[in-house]
Amino acid sequence: MSKISFRMRLLVIFWVVIILAQWLPIQYFGRTLRRDILDEEQNKAVQQLQLVCRLMNQQKGFADTEHFNRWLTELGKQLNLRITYMASGGEVIADSQVPFADIPNMENHANRPEIIAARSQEVGTSIRFSGTVDRELFYVARSVEGIGAVPNGVVRLATPFSPIRERLEQLSHVLYGLMALMLLATALLSEFLTRRLRHAMQPLSRVAEAIGKGDFSQRVRAVSLRELTPMADSLNRMAELIQTHVQSITTQKRQLEAILNGMQEGVMLLDSGCRIHTVNQALRNMVPSITHIIGRRPLEVIMSPELQDACNRVLRDDTDVGLVHSLQIALEWQRVYDVNIVRVQDQHEGLGA
């Protein structure tokens, strides 16, 4: 499973901060604005209801309920409202959007929430779906005294709730749109910061790659972000120390090679697996016919089983570290060589004897 990139981590952090910092305020202000919109619509409907009540009181009287229904229908058209009048028991007396002949067939409205509220307080309100006009309406109702042939009852106004809902949905779209824009802005910001950081890291990456390839002379000359200066300084110091150590090791190696090559005696250095690690020039001169010596066993270079057996014994015995094991071996042309074998005490790089 691949690890999450730095850019994605930065983006997630930004989004979490924005959601925590903006989502709760947006929810709070959104609810506040919704409540204000509903209060505004309610106040507007109450004012219209008061206007209807004043116009009713200005009438001298109605000969019958049919006359009252015609007047209510005309008033509803002028105000673009649905106006319903119910008797105290909930029977519908008149409705501006229902023909007078169909009014007796209408349901009793005594159990409607706004009617119940209007009986116990000055104004009753509710938002619900109307089966009569087949849409959602905002209702306000108020108890009034009868006029002429119209008995005491409750007058109710109904306005379409869809425009109010559209305003609320538009408000929600605006608020969530702002949040979406902020999330998009943070995504662009994280991309910009990531690219800037990647660009600032390039000099450090080049120097680190050069050090890995063995070029210790490279240095970080300048960085575009001040925050990366300590890292650049540390990388430069590390390169200097490595270069110093490598130069010291190289010098010591050359000095050792010079000493070994200056000796008349042949010197052979074995690893822990009893294979040749290093030889000096004098030993190479002893076996000029063998060009590739490194990595071979002593028996493959110097045809002496006694030498091979002695080397094996020295490497197997851990208690003889530092002790000199001497023997003589006879080679071709009746040459006899004195051989000294010493187990290496400090076994760096897997060296044995």
Side-chain angles (χ1 to χ4, degrees):
M1 183 177 180
S2 60
K3 295 182 179 180
I4 301 176
S5 64
F6 173 77
R7 175 182 175 276
M8 183 56 64
R9 292 181 182 180
L10 186 63
L11 181 60
V12 170
I13 291 174
F14 280 159
W15 281 358
V16 169
V17 171
I18 287 178
I19 291 175
L20 293 178
Q22 300 295 329
W23 187 78
L24 293 178
I26 285 177
Q27 290 295 316
Y28 172 76
F29 288 114
R31 291 180 181 179
T32 302
L33 291 175
R34 291 187 186 95
R35 186 170 58 250
D36 292 342
I37 291 174
L38 291 176
D39 291 343
E40 178 185 349
E41 293 296 330
Q42 179 177 340
N43 293 334
K44 180 180 177 181
V46 170
Q47 291 176 0
Q48 292 173 333
L49 179 62
Q50 292 174 349
L51 174 62
V52 171
C53 293
R54 283 198 300 269
L55 293 176
M56 287 180 59
N57 293 330
Q58 291 176 1
Q59 300 298 315
K60 296 180 180 181
F62 299 98
D64 50 31
T65 54
E66 184 177 3
H67 178 208
F68 177 60
N69 189 75
R70 288 197 301 270
W71 179 84
L72 208 63
T73 300
E74 184 64 25
L75 181 62
K77 291 180 180 179
Q78 294 177 1
L79 299 179
N80 194 24
L81 297 171
R82 181 188 177 189
I83 308 173
T84 306
Y85 190 89
M86 289 144 287
S88 300
E91 301 87 358
V92 178
I93 303 299
D95 193 301
S96 63
Q97 294 185 359
V98 178
F100 181 74
D102 296 336
I103 289 179
N105 299 326
M106 295 181 66
E107 296 180 358
N108 190 292
H109 286 35
N111 294 326
R112 299 293 193 271
E114 66 277 4
I115 304 302
I116 297 175
R119 291 171 181 167
S120 59
Q121 57 191 25
E122 183 178 358
V123 177
T125 62
S126 70
I127 301 173
R128 56 185 176 81
F129 183 82
S130 173
T132 304
V133 296
D134 195 26
R135 58 178 173 174
E136 194 174 22
L137 298 175
F138 182 76
Y139 294 98
V140 290
R142 179 180 179 181
S143 297
V144 294
E145 295 181 357
I147 301 176
V150 179
N152 295 340
V154 177
V155 61
R156 184 188 69 180
L157 268 64
T159 60
F161 189 71
S162 56
I164 304 175
R165 184 176 296 280
E166 289 177 0
R167 290 182 62 187
L168 295 176
E169 291 178 353
Q170 184 179 9
L171 174 62
S172 298
H173 293 161
V174 170
L175 293 177
Y176 287 111
L178 290 175
M179 178 175 285
L181 288 177
M182 295 181 68
L183 294 177
L184 178 60
T186 54
L188 297 176
L189 178 61
S190 66
E191 178 67 20
F192 169 75
L193 294 177
T194 303
R195 289 190 177 184
R196 186 181 180 190
L197 181 60
R198 187 185 301 117
H199 176 73
M201 290 291 293
Q202 286 180 355
L204 282 73
S205 300
R206 285 195 296 267
V207 172
E209 185 177 358
I211 293 175
K213 293 180 179 179
D215 184 4
F216 307 111
S217 62
Q218 297 294 324
R219 298 290 184 272
V220 180
R221 305 302 177 185
V223 290
S224 57
L225 291 179
R226 185 174 57 184
E227 291 77 6
L228 296 179
T229 301
M231 184 182 297
D233 294 339
S234 299
L235 189 61
N236 289 336
R237 285 194 298 269
M238 182 184 70
E240 292 175 0
L241 291 175
I242 293 176
Q243 186 177 22
T244 301
H245 290 318
V246 169
Q247 290 176 350
S248 176
I249 293 172
T250 302
T251 301
Q252 293 176 3
K253 181 180 179 181
R254 290 175 180 174
Q255 291 175 352
L256 180 59
E257 289 178 350
I259 294 173
L260 292 176
N261 291 330
M263 297 174 61
Q264 295 182 356
E265 295 83 359
V267 179
M268 177 188 300
L269 185 61
L270 303 178
D271 60 17
S272 58
C274 199
R275 292 187 177 273
I276 299 174
H277 182 274
T278 305
V279 296
N280 66 347
Q281 189 61 40
L283 193 138
R284 291 182 183 274
N285 294 335
M286 293 179 185
V287 287
S289 60
I290 301 177
T291 57
H292 300 290
I293 298 178
I294 306 302
R296 294 174 178 265
R297 294 183 178 276
L299 182 60
E300 299 176 24
V301 177
I302 300 175
M303 305 303 178
S304 173
E306 295 84 358
L307 176 61
Q308 182 68 52
D309 292 339
C311 291
N312 291 336
R313 286 195 304 271
V314 170
L315 291 176
R316 283 197 303 266
D317 193 352
D318 295 335
T319 61
D320 291 344
V321 176
L323 296 180
V324 179
H325 298 265
S326 301
L327 73 154
Q328 288 184 341
I329 59 174
L331 300 180
E332 56 185 3
W333 302 307
Q334 302 299 320
R335 291 183 179 180
V336 178
Y337 293 90
D338 292 326
V339 180
N340 295 318
I341 305 174
V342 180
R343 179 71 182 269
V344 177
Q345 184 174 3
D346 189 6
Q347 298 184 8
H348 290 298
E349 299 182 0
L351 299 181

